[in-house]
Amino acid sequence: MKRRHLLSSILAGGALYILPSSWVVARQTQYHHDVSVPEKALKPLEHGVDWWRDKLPDAAWQILFQAETEPAGSSPLNGEDRSGTFVCAACYLPLFSSDTKYESGTGWPSFWAAHEKHMGTKTDYKAFWPRTEYHCIRCGGHQGHVFDDGPDPTGKRWCNNGLALQFVPGGEILPALRG
């Protein structure tokens, strides 16, 4: 490495120690798109799981409301790399920005951050060890599990079932919330 590049790297790294902490936090949270969802729209819906049955394909309903898992590598969303927003397939609540999607090598769409106010979590013991299951805060639809083996800046891997999501390309209007 050339001396000037080494010096630039050291100075850039050192700048993190002298920048106000609010600047660092602001930089880490820039990945969220402006998702304008009124706070009252984040209130959980009171529909039972059967209410959703005729509104979704059976495989999506099984994943969202029976906590099934699709086979690894089966979702076209795993390879989706356009700019846009991933919404809940049931109620259309925005859950992820394409800016946070990455290839995890697991065979499922993975993200290093979610619109966290739009997610609920609980501990799941179905694999005999505790995992953090996450679901859409509005409809309660099971999305996937979050793990601590993701990339920077969060270190999280939000591993999602593709059938539990719909992708809305950037520039298109997000669908109205359903339910």
Side-chain angles (χ1 to χ4, degrees):
M1 180 182 277
K2 293 186 179 178
R3 256 190 271 183
R4 73 172 179 234
H5 293 293
L6 179 60
L7 183 57
S8 296
S9 297
I10 291 170
L11 290 174
L16 289 176
Y17 292 103
I18 59 173
L19 285 175
S21 61
S22 61
W23 287 14
V24 175
V25 170
R27 184 174 184 279
Q28 290 176 347
T29 57
Q30 284 180 347
Y31 54 81
H32 289 292
H33 281 171
D34 178 26
V35 179
S36 300
V37 177
E39 196 70 30
K40 66 181 181 180
L42 298 177
K43 184 178 176 186
L45 300 171
E46 296 183 14
H47 304 303
V49 296
D50 288 330
W51 188 87
W52 296 99
R53 189 180 286 275
D54 66 340
K55 293 164 182 54
L56 297 164
D58 189 57
W61 184 84
Q62 291 289 330
I63 288 167
L64 286 159
F65 298 105
Q66 300 299 301
E68 296 292 329
T69 301
E70 68 194 11
S74 66
S75 174
L77 292 183
N78 198 37
E80 180 59 68
D81 61 359
R82 295 176 289 170
S83 178
T85 302
F86 293 85
V87 301
C88 175
C91 71
Y92 305 146
L93 182 66
L95 300 179
F96 299 99
S97 162
S98 64
D99 292 343
T100 67
K101 188 173 184 296
Y102 74 100
E103 175 52 57
S104 66
T106 62
W108 288 281
S110 297
F111 306 84
W112 50 264
H115 296 297
E116 291 195 47
K117 286 185 178 180
H118 300 190
M119 299 291 194
T121 61
K122 66 181 181 180
T123 303
D124 166 358
Y125 293 96
K126 289 181 185 172
F128 302 109
W129 65 87
R131 300 182 297 172
T132 302
E133 182 261 339
Y134 63 92
H135 53 273
C136 173
I137 199 72
R138 286 189 78 238
C139 68
H142 168 78
Q143 295 290 324
H145 293 86
V146 63
F147 302 97
D148 291 324
D149 60 1
D152 289 336
T154 65
K156 300 291 184 189
R157 172 172 52 98
W158 295 77
C159 190
N160 218 96
N161 286 289
L163 287 173
L165 295 171
Q166 286 187 13
F167 177 70
V168 181
E172 289 188 18
I173 296 173
L174 293 174
L177 296 178
R178 178 163 61 178

